[in-house]
Amino acid sequence: MFWCEEVAARCSRPQIINDSKTPSGRVHVGALRGVLIHDAIFRTLRAKGLEARYFFGVDDYDPLDEIPAGKDEHFSKYLGQPLCNVPPPDGSDAPDMAEHYMGEFWGVFEELGVEVERYRMRDVYRSGRFNVVIDKILRNAETVRRVYKEVSNSDRPATWYPFQAVCEQCGRIGTTEVYDYDGSTVAYRCRPNMVKWATGCGHEGRVSPFDGRGKLPWKLEWVAKWVTFPVGIEGAGKDHSTKGGSRDVAAACARAIFGQEPPLNVPYEFFLVGGAKMSSSRGIGASARDMADLLPPEVLRFLMIRTKPNSPVNFEANEEGIVKLFNEYDRCEGRVHREKNATPDEGRILSLSETSGRGEVYQANFQLVTALAQMPHLNALEEIGKRAGRPLTALERGVLQRRIRSAEVWVDRYAADSEKTRLQEVLPESVNALSEAQRGFLLQLSEALKTAEWEGDALQTCVFETARMTPIEQPVAFKAIYRALLDKELGPRAGNLFAYLSREFLVGLLSTVAVDRPEFLRTTAVAVDTLREWVEAQRAKAMLIESRLVQAGGVLAQEFLVVMEDGKRHVRRVLVADEAEGGLLAASVKG
Ligand SMILES: [Zn+2]
């Protein structure tokens, strides 16, 4: 059963789904996993006619415990203060740091079509909404200490209370320790050495724990949300979901103090992004915003939703990884919308990935788009549109435009130099390192292209035919094409790429390939026995076999042209004589 269906099968009554984020810096790409898992569950419940709401909280009463990269000057004096009280970085028009970093993340939600009911913990605490729960938790401090010991084996002294007051003197929340509760106020001290990342001011006092004068530690804040909202489904990252981990502690507190079962957990694994530049100090690609720039919404959703939550998602932002992802998306879309042979799961994955029920749209192959996007003087949008076979709708042009943008972002920020595509005006030096068979193939291709029909599929057929007539293994032939044309190992479907280039240019370029004909004959010839076996194996399908002698320099070869039932032509040759080897090698083979 598809994982969303499994979750839905366990739900009957109306559900509140909850997730949250601490906005202590640019939101990391990994946070998208939870956001999209919860969104997929939310949509699945709705599609089944179950009432559901998706809440997403900003944990902005958490203390600033780390300075965002490169911002020391501004932030260091606020370490330990609630994030909602820290001013935004210079140049930001947000009212505070929390809103500054969440603003970027909310933008990603909108692009991904994730609709949530937002809340800020600042507002929840200050409105008094948690007052009742805070009181009950503080009255049950003993129970909390026992649960910490039993579930996670962590000792808390008898004077420890699960609450952090905002220091009335210095405004820090991360440095205070509460040691008493009398039913209306807590006693706290602001300790200079309680945490490594902030220094408390030493103030001691009593303060009401209500209406935003402090917060619960996050494990109990979880409990407060579950009980108050109340939350029915909340997945947690695997780092929280281990045995005796924070999720277990919170669940045990919910049961022990409130007699309430915790929400359904959907433990999820990490979302990891690798690639050439990912580990660089510039940190390109590490934020959720960067990933939403790179991948179109439906592809990013697809990447996350097709994988079960308890399996990691490893996305390599290199050429191979990104091309594979787009191709897999296109294949799934094709099977659902065009070929109508998708499995039920594929149908579910696609409908959960599409940000609007857009149905079938024209999709240009990403690898081709990427190659075209790197060709100067070529307007990829217009040129691809011309070859679509029909006018594109406004929606399709938008989808194509977004795909071109993904290609440009990838080339600009992620592609290694060797992965970039540069259309070669003249043959690159590296063509000299190709085999004689590859060079012979390229030269033969330049001849075949003179008369080929100038259309993607026809040109691809021409490449295959030329490879059989050389003969050369097809993968090796394609490598030769990419080397000559782009000076790299990989490239888009050759026929499709050719269709965007002019016949004159392509024939001109390939006809300059230098071939050592005698060496070509030597390296493409097979042993007589091999030829015999091959002919035997093909005999039933062969329509016509012709042979002729070919000569180049001191090499004489006998060449066999075999035409098969399906019309495909193949060439095989054996050496008859080679001066370099001392003359006659084999008697000619009788067909
Ligand atoms: Zn203080």
Side-chain angles (χ1 to χ4, degrees):
M1 202 192 276
F2 185 56
W3 66 267
C4 289
E5 302 287 322
E6 273 175 28
V7 174
R10 294 165 70 179
C11 304
S12 50
R13 58 200 164 77
Q15 293 290 338
I16 287 176
I17 300 164
N18 183 60
D19 194 3
S20 66
K21 185 74 200 118
T22 304
S24 53
R26 290 194 80 193
V27 179
H28 188 262
V29 64
L32 288 171
R33 185 103 205 247
V35 170
L36 289 171
I37 283 173
H38 289 117
D39 188 55
I41 294 169
F42 174 58
R43 289 186 183 205
T44 302
L45 293 179
R46 283 275 181 99
K48 290 189 169 302
L50 281 163
E51 209 178 301
R53 298 171 72 184
Y54 181 5
F55 289 3
F56 200 99
V58 182
D59 292 335
D60 58 353
Y61 239 42
D62 290 2
L64 176 67
D65 61 1
E66 197 181 11
I67 293 167
K71 308 274 189 197
D72 300 33
E73 283 286 315
H74 171 84
F75 285 109
S76 57
K77 61 177 176 287
Y78 299 106
L79 281 165
Q81 293 197 15
L83 294 166
C84 62
N85 290 352
V86 178
D90 290 342
S92 168
D93 50 13
D96 56 67
M97 177 182 178
E99 210 161 306
H100 173 77
Y101 289 116
M102 272 321 272
E104 185 180 87
F105 201 35
W106 292 136
V108 174
F109 276 59
E110 272 160 34
E111 285 173 37
L112 292 177
V114 176
E115 288 173 19
V116 296
E117 297 179 48
R118 305 174 188 180
Y119 63 89
R120 292 182 68 164
M121 286 315 297
R122 175 195 69 180
D123 302 335
V124 172
Y125 280 114
R126 289 180 183 170
S127 69
R129 214 174 153 201
F130 273 3
N131 286 356
V132 174
V133 175
I134 289 170
D135 176 62
K136 190 150 183 180
I137 288 173
L138 283 171
R139 285 175 194 280
N140 284 278
E142 169 77 57
T143 308
V144 176
R145 293 191 286 263
R146 179 172 53 76
V147 167
Y148 270 64
K149 178 66 188 166
E150 284 173 8
V151 178
S152 66
N153 196 30
S154 54
D155 285 304
R156 292 285 189 280
T159 53
W160 179 85
Y161 279 74
F163 199 76
Q164 291 168 280
V166 179
C167 174
E168 295 153 287
Q169 185 164 289
C170 73
R172 292 191 178 85
I173 197 171
T175 51
T176 61
E177 180 182 75
V178 167
Y179 56 89
D180 183 47
Y181 178 55
D182 62 11
S184 59
T185 60
V186 289
Y188 73 95
R189 50 177 91 85
C190 184
R191 289 178 51 196
N193 300 317
M194 196 173 93
V195 290
K196 287 202 180 82
W197 36 267
T199 309
C201 69
H203 180 74
E204 289 198 36
R206 286 201 87 97
V207 70
S208 160
F210 307 125
D211 303 327
R213 290 190 186 84
K215 77 184 286 289
L216 294 160
W218 67 273
K219 288 172 205 167
L220 289 137
E221 195 170 272
W222 234 348
V223 176
K225 290 177 186 177
W226 295 347
V227 172
T228 308
F229 292 162
V231 180
I233 300 173
E234 180 162 0
K238 70 155 196 179
D239 42 338
H240 297 306
S241 302
T242 52
K243 188 164 168 44
S246 45
R247 178 81 189 199
D248 277 358
V249 170
C253 286
R255 288 191 187 102
I257 301 169
F258 296 94
Q260 185 173 318
E261 277 303 301
L264 177 63
N265 189 9
V266 183
Y268 53 86
E269 269 275 357
F270 293 126
F271 170 39
L272 301 167
V273 181
K277 289 185 181 169
M278 290 302 299
S279 56
S280 78
S281 56
R282 289 166 68 202
I284 292 172
S287 79
R289 176 67 264 166
D290 290 327
M291 197 43 55
D293 284 341
L294 177 63
L295 300 176
E298 66 278 8
V299 177
L300 180 47
R301 292 183 62 99
F302 175 78
L303 171 66
M304 222 67 84
I305 288 166
R306 66 175 172 170
T307 306
K308 275 191 228 149
N310 60 6
S311 301
V313 172
N314 287 308
F315 172 58
E316 289 290 329
N318 56 19
E319 183 176 23
E320 196 188 342
I322 194 166
V323 165
K324 187 162 169 270
L325 174 63
F326 273 91
N327 287 349
E328 284 165 350
Y329 178 83
D330 291 353
R331 250 196 309 280
C332 183
E333 194 183 47
R335 285 166 62 81
V336 172
H337 291 314
R338 280 182 293 281
E339 296 146 35
K340 314 282 184 196
N341 58 357
T343 64
D345 280 3
E346 285 172 321
R348 288 189 189 100
I349 290 166
L350 192 75
S351 77
L352 288 170
S353 301
E354 287 175 338
T355 46
S356 56
R358 64 188 196 190
E360 184 184 350
V361 293
Y362 175 79
Q363 284 293 22
N365 173 270
F366 182 74
Q367 203 170 15
L368 179 67
V369 170
T370 306
L372 298 179
Q374 294 173 79
M375 289 181 188
H377 320 305
L378 188 145
N379 181 329
L381 183 66
E382 295 310 319
E383 294 300 320
I384 294 168
K386 267 191 230 166
R387 289 164 180 79
R390 60 180 168 79
L392 297 183
T393 63
L395 173 74
E396 288 174 319
R397 280 178 73 85
V399 169
L400 178 55
Q401 184 85 68
R402 181 64 188 80
R403 195 165 271 215
I404 292 168
R405 182 158 167 261
S406 285
E408 289 167 348
V409 168
W410 180 75
V411 170
D412 187 42
R413 304 187 200 162
Y414 296 84
D417 210 43
S418 61
E419 293 176 324
K420 289 184 181 170
T421 297
R422 292 176 197 85
L423 185 63
Q424 305 293 300
E425 301 283 320
V426 293
L427 287 176
E429 283 277 316
S430 54
V431 165
N432 297 328
L434 293 176
S435 70
E436 215 54 57
Q438 285 175 305
R439 278 199 296 272
F441 159 75
L442 291 173
L443 191 62
Q444 212 157 312
L445 185 60
S446 74
E447 279 300 313
L449 288 174
K450 285 178 183 168
T451 53
E453 185 197 341
W454 214 253
E455 182 275 325
D457 287 342
L459 288 163
Q460 185 78 355
T461 303
C462 174
V463 172
F464 282 131
E465 163 108 348
T466 307
R468 286 190 300 269
M469 295 286 287
T470 300
I472 187 172
E473 294 284 333
Q474 277 159 11
V476 184
F478 282 102
K479 277 185 184 164
I481 292 174
Y482 300 132
R483 189 49 70 194
L485 221 51
L486 309 172
D487 198 15
K488 63 200 282 272
E489 276 280 300
L490 299 170
R493 192 170 180 261
N496 290 0
L497 178 62
F498 289 178
Y500 287 87
L501 308 171
S502 78
R503 190 192 303 268
E504 189 191 8
F505 162 76
L506 207 50
V507 170
L509 181 75
L510 297 181
S511 64
T512 60
V513 175
V515 180
D516 177 342
R517 282 290 296 171
E519 188 57 23
F520 172 76
L521 292 180
R522 275 187 203 108
T523 56
T524 56
V526 295
V528 175
D529 289 346
T530 309
L531 176 73
R532 261 203 201 98
E533 282 164 25
W534 184 77
V535 170
E536 281 307 316
Q538 306 303 320
R539 199 178 283 281
K541 289 179 284 175
M543 300 287 288
L544 177 73
I545 303 179
E546 288 175 359
S547 86
R548 62 177 183 143
L549 283 170
V550 288
Q551 186 183 4
V555 178
L556 183 65
Q558 188 162 20
E559 198 169 271
F560 298 84
L561 171 69
V562 181
V563 184
M564 301 293 186
E565 280 172 340
D566 57 8
K568 287 179 179 161
R569 301 187 299 161
H570 296 255
V571 160
R572 289 290 184 281
R573 63 179 68 86
V574 289
L575 287 188
V576 177
D578 187 346
E579 267 180 0
E581 298 290 326
L584 198 63
L585 290 170
S588 56
V589 181
K590 295 211 167 65

